[in-house]
């Protein structure tokens, strides 16, 4: 292969190293920030561009394979195309978090350039390789269909608004700004065109890059951490361990049990635990430095399920034992009423972890500010991030400022700090601006998931089908740290009966620490698990 290649990107010639990834060139050299990095593995479609009119994923394409091709990103659209897609996607309500939208728009252009009047099935096929976790695909298909009509019939956004005001029957429709009217989101343009800023889009002067060295084992005693070789590498800004924390090492939403870093002599709780934080001038030096940090472990047997943690003689994973939370709801005598009922169903159910799969991996940028720190975050709880970071740094909360940039999906998975406090610690100690971001594999490992639950449930009714009582035992695997495991368990128990009229209940629930990834908030917040069991039992009762 030639030592250089030549491509045309948005009409401009580019020459360079054929081994570089197209995504790297687009985002870092040419600042085409509409091209997002959601996975780096060719799975999600947020980095989709057109190469000679064909949709390709920039994160897996080397520049050498693009030699001689013409690459188009949303930045290269004509103003007419930009206006159409902004209006069409806004009108259809196709934009929520927005992280997937530029990739969807690219696929739409690739389709409409070849087929100006596609069917809904053809539109769906064109975006088949692009994930969306917010809107579902119906509204995106609506938006592409509307864009097709506008381009085909040479309609402007102003034409579309006049058409709406006149009404389909030719009568005056009045002002669109009224109660109950559908209006466009104010952030549609930035999200459709890729000009809206997510944290990973930020490039600030003098910015360095930070990341954590993670535990090799889910449960192990850290015997030694050797950082000398990493610190000696040119371009390394710092290598931090627990001993460098100026405040309290443990943070957390409601219960401060989550270790920012695991120190020498301490025991890891899961594979996502940070042992050291490294910052360097470039991402490449950062990865080299992380590989030079040496950690000695004494591997210990992990508690991989609640049964392990509750077994006689099991080690305490946290101070106070392995039961994070216990809920017991009782009304009447469920055992007596169930025994006297004509029909009853008893079943055991297991629900699994569920990954949130938001398309934007976690990222934060922090810099020194007014004797404290300023954090740009992708966050579901800026004040919680402020609180936890102030605990870590030993600062009053007013010295920690947190500002959200656009958030590329969350669904509960971005309520806990993951990189925000790490970035803040590096920035506070080094007085440098730092970006910390998780690769998709790290994100999958580190952030809390939906709680897996083990549910034993009995549901009873009389001979007329009237519900008489229910009894449930719920055990939730809350993983390595508390996160929001207590409130999730509470909701799971208080909603376990569903919307049905039981006058007699007995619901016992426990959230148990293990050495699995933490579990926390997710849409439904515990209710989905127990209501699944309730509905299954009711189906079985109905068949009796």
């Amino acid at each position: 292969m030639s030592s250089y290649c030549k491509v045309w990107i948005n009409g401009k010639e580019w020459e360079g190293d054929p081994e570089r990834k197209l995504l790297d060139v687009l985002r870092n050299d040419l600042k085409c920030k509409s091209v997002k990095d959601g996975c780096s593995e060719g799975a999600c479609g947020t980095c989709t561009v057109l190469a000679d009119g064909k949709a390709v994923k920039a994160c897996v394409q080397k520049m050498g394979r693009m030699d001689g091709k013409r690459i188009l990103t949303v930045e290269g659209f004509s103003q007419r195309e930009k206006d159409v897609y902004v209006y069409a996607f806004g009108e259809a309500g196709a934009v929520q978090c927005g992280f997937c939208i530029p990739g969807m728009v690219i696929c739409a252009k690739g389709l409409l350039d070849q087929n100006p009047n596609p069917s809904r099935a053809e539109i769906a096929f064109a975006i088949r390789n692009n994930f969306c976790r917010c809107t579902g695909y119906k509204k995106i298909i609506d938006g592409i269909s509307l864009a097709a009509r506008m381009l085909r019939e040479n309609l402007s956004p102003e034409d579309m608004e006049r058409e709406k005001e006149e009404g389909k029957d030719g009568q005056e429709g009045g002002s669109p700004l009224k109660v109950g009217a559908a209006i466009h989101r104010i952030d549609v343009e930035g999200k459709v065109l890729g000009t809206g800023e997510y944290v990973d889009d930020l490039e600030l002067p003098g910015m360095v890059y930070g990341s954590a060295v993670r535990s090799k084992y889910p449960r192990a005693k850290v015997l030694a951490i050797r950082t000398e070789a990493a610190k000696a590498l040119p371009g390394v800004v710092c290598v931090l361990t627990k001993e460098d924390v100026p405040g309290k090492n443990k943070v957390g939403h409601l219960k401060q049990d989550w270790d920012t870093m695991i120190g020498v002599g301490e025991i890891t709780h899961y594979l996502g635990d940070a042992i050291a934080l490294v910052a360097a001038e470039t991402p490449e030096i950062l990865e080299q430095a992380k590989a030079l940090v040496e950690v000695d472990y004494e591997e210990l047997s992990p508690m991989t399920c609640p049964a392990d943690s509750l077994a006689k003689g099991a080690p305490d994973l946290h101070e106070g034992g392995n039961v994070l939370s216990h809920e017991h709801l009782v009304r009447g005598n469920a055992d007596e009423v169930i025994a006297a009922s004509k029909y009853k169903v008893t079943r055991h159910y297991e629900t699994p972890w569920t990954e949130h799969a938001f398309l934007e991996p976690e990222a934060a940028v922090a810099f020194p500010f007014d004797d404290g720190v300023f954090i740009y975050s992708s966050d579901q709880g800026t004040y919680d991030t402020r609180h936890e970071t102030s605990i870590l740094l030993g600062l009053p909360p007013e010295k920690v400022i947190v500002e959200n940039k656009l958030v590329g999906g969350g669904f509960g998975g971005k309520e806990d700090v993951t990189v925000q406090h790490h970035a803040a610690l590096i920035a506070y100690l080094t007085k440098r601006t730092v970006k910390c971001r998780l690769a998709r594999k790290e994100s999958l490992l580190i952030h809390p998931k939906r709680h897996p639950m083990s549910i034993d449930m009995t549901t009873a009714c009389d001979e007329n089908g009237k519900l008489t009582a229910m009894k449930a035992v719920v055990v939730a695997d809350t993983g390595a740290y508390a996160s929001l495991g207590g409130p999730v368990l509470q909701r799971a128990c208080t909603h376990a009966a569903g919307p049905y009229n039981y006058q007699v209940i007995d619901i016992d629930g426990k959230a148990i620490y293990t050495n699995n990834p933490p579990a926390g908030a997710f849409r439904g917040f515990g209710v989905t698990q127990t209501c699944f069991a309730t509905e299954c039992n009711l189906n079985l009762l109905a068949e009796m």
Side-chain angles (χ1 to χ4, degrees):
M1 183 179 290
S2 173
S3 60
Y4 77 97
C5 63
K6 180 187 294 187
V7 298
W8 284 262
I9 301 174
N10 295 332
K12 297 181 180 180
E13 185 179 301
W14 182 93
E15 291 186 15
D17 183 356
E19 292 300 309
R20 289 183 64 189
K21 290 290 181 68
L22 175 58
L23 179 63
D24 177 29
V25 171
L26 292 174
R27 284 186 60 82
N28 298 320
D29 288 15
L30 303 180
K31 312 306 178 187
C32 294
K33 300 297 187 179
S34 72
V35 187
K36 306 302 182 187
D37 184 3
C39 68
S40 296
E41 295 183 359
C44 70
T46 62
C47 65
T48 303
V49 300
L50 294 180
D52 288 347
K54 180 182 178 181
V56 299
K57 295 174 179 177
C59 68
V60 292
Q61 299 293 338
K62 289 187 176 182
M63 293 305 298
R65 294 189 64 184
M66 298 292 103
D67 191 27
K69 296 184 182 296
R70 295 187 177 274
I71 308 299
L72 183 70
T73 72
V74 173
E75 287 85 351
F77 281 18
S78 69
Q79 189 59 50
R80 160 73 173 154
E81 290 171 320
K82 291 179 180 179
D83 292 344
V84 164
Y85 283 110
V86 168
Y87 181 85
F89 273 62
E91 180 67 15
V95 177
Q96 287 192 27
C97 89
F99 202 75
C100 72
I101 295 300
M104 297 286 187
V105 169
I106 283 289
C107 291
K109 176 172 171 57
L111 170 66
L112 300 184
D113 283 352
Q114 300 299 319
N115 179 2
N117 190 15
S119 66
R120 293 185 70 85
E122 289 169 327
I123 295 173
F125 186 78
I127 60 172
R128 67 194 183 281
N129 293 320
N130 292 60
F131 295 165
C132 175
R133 279 286 286 119
C134 298
T135 67
Y137 298 92
K138 179 184 181 300
K139 292 184 177 182
I140 292 173
I141 293 172
D142 291 343
I144 296 172
S145 181
L146 179 57
R149 181 191 166 210
M150 292 175 68
L151 292 169
R152 193 171 61 248
E153 299 179 14
N154 197 29
L155 297 170
S156 68
E158 293 75 21
D159 294 331
M160 300 303 298
E161 286 300 300
R162 281 193 293 272
E163 184 178 286
K164 280 170 51 180
E165 291 174 12
E166 292 170 359
K168 291 184 178 179
D169 57 1
Q171 300 299 314
E172 184 66 27
S175 170
L177 297 178
K178 57 186 178 183
V179 174
I183 62 174
H184 294 200
R185 292 174 60 118
I186 61 173
D187 55 5
V188 164
E189 181 175 343
K191 289 178 174 178
V192 169
L193 302 183
T195 55
E197 285 187 329
Y198 299 85
V199 175
D200 195 34
D201 296 332
L202 296 175
E203 296 184 15
L204 302 182
M207 188 171 73
V208 299
Y209 302 86
S211 183
V213 175
R214 305 284 173 183
S215 176
K216 186 177 179 181
Y217 304 101
R219 183 167 177 263
K221 185 175 183 179
V222 177
L223 303 177
I225 306 171
R226 289 184 289 277
T227 62
E228 296 80 9
K231 289 178 177 177
L233 183 68
V236 169
V237 176
C238 70
V239 182
L240 306 177
T241 61
K242 178 190 172 183
E243 285 66 34
D244 296 302
V245 172
K248 296 180 180 179
N249 187 60
K250 290 184 182 290
V251 299
H253 253 328
L254 304 178
K255 183 175 183 178
Q256 279 73 58
D257 66 348
W258 198 322
D259 296 282
T260 300
M261 286 180 278
I262 304 295
V264 173
E266 297 179 339
I267 295 174
T268 64
H269 292 93
Y270 81 125
L271 287 169
D273 273 331
I275 307 298
L277 297 179
V278 182
E281 298 290 348
T282 68
E284 293 77 17
I285 297 173
L286 174 62
E287 292 306 312
Q288 294 176 40
K290 285 172 61 179
L292 293 174
V293 176
E294 298 179 2
V295 184
D296 293 338
Y297 299 93
E298 177 189 342
E299 187 178 1
L300 303 173
S301 296
M303 304 295 104
T304 61
C305 65
D308 289 348
S309 298
L310 293 173
K312 185 178 180 179
D316 286 348
L317 300 182
H318 286 275
E319 184 178 344
N322 293 338
V323 179
L324 167 66
S325 181
H326 182 206
E327 298 283 341
H328 193 193
L329 285 65
V330 178
R331 177 171 177 167
N333 190 320
D335 288 331
E336 285 186 4
V337 174
I338 289 170
S341 297
K342 176 70 172 177
Y343 301 106
K344 63 210 71 169
V345 170
T346 299
R347 290 290 188 275
H348 176 78
Y349 299 98
E350 299 273 348
T351 64
W353 282 280
T354 309
E355 161 63 30
H356 301 78
F358 39 76
L359 291 186
E360 177 210 23
E362 298 88 336
V365 171
F367 52 88
F369 181 79
D370 190 27
D371 298 324
V373 290
F374 192 111
I375 307 169
Y376 286 119
S377 183
S378 175
D379 208 305
Q380 287 186 258
T382 54
Y383 285 94
D384 288 314
T385 295
R386 179 193 212 186
H387 173 64
E388 295 182 56
T389 302
S390 68
I391 291 172
L392 174 68
L393 299 182
L395 293 173
E398 60 268 20
K399 290 296 182 181
V400 179
I401 309 299
V402 183
E403 179 181 316
N404 251 8
K405 306 304 282 185
L406 294 178
V407 180
F411 322 115
K414 290 180 178 174
E415 292 200 17
D416 300 84
V417 291
T418 50
V419 291
Q420 301 95 321
H421 60 322
H422 288 173
L425 179 61
I426 295 170
Y428 184 68
L429 294 179
T430 66
K431 308 306 177 187
R432 297 286 299 272
T433 299
V434 60
K435 177 188 287 186
C436 292
R437 68 180 297 273
L438 298 182
R440 178 58 64 180
K441 286 184 179 179
E442 288 181 291
S443 175
L444 289 169
L445 173 66
I446 292 162
H447 79 255
K449 314 290 182 253
R450 189 192 301 282
H451 280 79
M453 291 190 186
S454 169
I455 305 164
D456 290 288
M457 183 174 288
T458 298
T459 310
C461 69
D462 63 18
E463 59 275 11
N464 299 313
K466 182 178 179 180
L467 296 171
T468 56
M470 64 91 69
K471 183 174 182 178
V473 176
V474 179
V475 179
D477 184 344
T478 207
Y481 295 106
S483 181
L484 290 168
V488 167
L489 176 71
Q490 186 178 66
R491 294 279 185 87
C493 292
T494 57
H495 291 67
Y500 304 107
N501 184 8
Y502 296 94
Q503 293 301 308
V504 179
I505 60 159
D506 187 329
I507 303 167
D508 188 87
K510 292 179 181 177
I512 308 300
Y513 286 117
T514 66
N515 293 120
N516 294 319
F522 200 149
R523 286 180 170 179
F525 211 73
V527 179
T528 51
Q529 295 94 311
T530 52
C531 280
F532 163 73
T534 286
E535 295 295 337
C536 288
N537 267 16
L538 289 177
N539 287 344
L540 294 170
L541 265 182
E543 294 170 359
M544 296 181 76

